[in-house]
Amino acid sequence: MPIRAENRWLYPIDWQQLSDTIRFDRAGRRCEQCRRPHLRRVAHLGDGRWWDADARCWRSDQGKRVSMKGGFTLASVRMTYVVLACAHLDHDPSNSAPANLRALCQRCHMIHDAAEHRWQRWWNAFRLRAMRDLYEDPRITRERHAAS
């Protein structure tokens, strides 16, 4: 995901090279959480289990081999295109120490950032309500509350 323009100044000037080093050199073009390969289509079951075509086995969301004793229905298999991103473990873009960076696929990155995204969604709604309270005509506010 591209860096938002308002956050661009938080990242170091050599961010692209640093990100490439983490994703390609250190992680070997694979997610450091689940081991999914970069720029490949991967079959998965939606619960974190995915087919590793190179090793010809199913893997868990932690990258470990799993057996499929219970089986699965072919209709539950989905395909996804994997793209690695370099994630900040402490959610602070100004902290670009290699120990704070991790190469994650989209799924692992969204899971890692879920709490941050929930907070951001709340904050945006809070700001919108606060702006409305400051600038909305009180008569409109009363009508809106009376209608609900």
Side-chain angles (χ1 to χ4, degrees), residues 1-3 14-33 35-39 81-88 98 101-106 109:
M1 188 162 131
I3 300 169
D14 63 342
W15 173 250
Q16 188 62 49
Q17 291 83 7
L18 185 58
S19 174
D20 288 350
T21 300
I22 299 296
R23 293 180 298 144
F24 305 135
D25 296 340
R26 186 176 84 186
R29 305 182 76 85
R30 286 185 170 263
C31 175
E32 290 183 302
Q33 181 72 30
R35 307 297 302 150
R36 291 180 190 202
H38 179 58
L39 297 181
Y81 188 69
V82 178
V83 178
L84 291 182
C86 192
H88 290 87
L101 299 175
R102 199 155 192 208
L104 298 177
C105 65
Q106 307 97 308
H109 202 162

Side-chain angles (χ1 to χ4, degrees), residues 67-81:
S67 63
M68 300 296 284
K69 291 179 183 171
F72 60 91
T73 60
L74 195 54
S76 66
V77 176
R78 292 180 265 172
M79 295 296 286
T80 189
Y81 188 69

Side-chain angles (χ1 to χ4, degrees), residues 106-126:
Q106 307 97 308
R107 179 181 185 278
C108 295
H109 202 162
M110 289 300 288
I111 291 169
H112 173 72
D113 287 346
E116 186 74 15
H117 290 181
R118 277 192 300 275
W119 180 87
Q120 191 65 50
R121 203 167 38 248
W122 174 87
W123 178 246
N124 289 340
F126 175 81

